Amino acid sequence: MPTHSSSVAVARTPIAVPRTRRWIQAQVADWRVHLDDCARDAISVITSELVANAVQHGTGTTLTVGLHIHPVRKRLLIEVHDGSTVLPVARSATRNEESGRGMFLVQRLALNHGVERTGHGKKVWAELEIPVQPLTRRQVLTHPHRTLRAVARRLSRRRGARIRPVPGDTSR
């Protein structure tokens, strides 16, 4: 399954949050990447937080949102670029505060996250794990030995069994 990348420019307004969520959902569906409910919810929350922070604290009239998926590595990367060079700071919100928990949510839901200054502001990103993707028909037909090994690995993870090499298999 190939790696996919795409980006979109959105106006830096509050409507950017739901529009970006819908765009990411559409991209994932177009790329035929299968997500479970946990991954779908994490993507939605992280997208909302990163875009909402950029809308509230960024500068400029537009944001650029990037989406990169690497199904083999089981990773999805969301990037939000804005014109501000001010880096976000995670803070502790009190019980009565309505905001201040966004970066904490991103930290808890993402495998990795970070911020980088760019030539035109900054990029805030989060990397998430996606579920193992089903084998495609092409993968099964063109690499049957790899397919058998992949199926054996998945089964052994479920049962805790050891994988034995297929005799005469040199496709490693």
Side-chain angles (χ1 to χ4, degrees):
M1 192 173 257
T3 301
H4 299 287
S5 292
S6 188
S7 63
V8 66
V10 293
R12 195 176 65 81
T13 63
I15 196 71
V17 176
R19 282 186 179 163
T20 303
R21 278 195 311 260
R22 283 192 302 271
W23 174 77
I24 287 177
Q25 290 167 355
Q27 285 298 123
V28 168
D30 285 348
W31 293 336
R32 292 185 175 97
V33 175
H34 300 275
L35 300 175
D36 57 20
D37 290 339
C38 291
R40 217 177 335 279
D41 291 345
I43 292 167
S44 180
V45 169
I46 287 173
T47 301
S48 298
E49 293 302 333
L50 295 183
V51 174
N53 283 347
V55 166
Q56 185 174 1
H57 303 291
T59 60
T61 58
T62 61
L63 305 171
T64 302
V65 179
L67 179 65
H68 313 281
I69 295 179
H70 195 294
V72 175
R73 289 188 55 233
K74 301 187 304 182
R75 298 291 186 264
L76 177 141
L77 178 69
I78 301 168
E79 303 173 335
V80 178
H81 301 256
D82 71 64
S84 174
T85 58
V86 178
L87 303 181
V89 177
R91 64 182 183 91
S92 298
T94 64
R95 186 183 309 187
N96 298 326
E97 288 182 281
E98 291 184 16
S99 64
R101 294 171 188 83
M103 291 311 292
F104 174 76
L105 290 172
V106 170
Q107 178 183 6
R108 299 299 282 181
L109 293 172
L111 290 173
N112 297 305
H113 66 94
V115 60
E116 302 168 23
R117 284 197 170 95
T118 65
H120 303 287
K122 69 175 173 297
K123 167 177 73 172
V124 181
W125 58 271
E127 183 181 43
L128 295 92
E129 185 172 24
I130 60 173
V132 173
Q133 299 300 297
L135 295 170
T136 65
R137 172 180 275 164
R138 183 176 183 173
Q139 289 170 318
V140 171
L141 293 175
T142 58
H143 303 289
H145 287 99
R146 289 183 191 169
T147 303
L148 288 173
R149 274 200 324 273
V151 170
R153 271 194 304 273
R154 290 178 190 171
L155 290 173
S156 69
R157 286 183 194 139
R158 291 183 191 159
R159 296 185 186 131
R162 289 204 25 93
I163 303 169
R164 293 192 182 117
V166 176
D169 181 11
T170 59
S171 63
R172 290 181 182 220

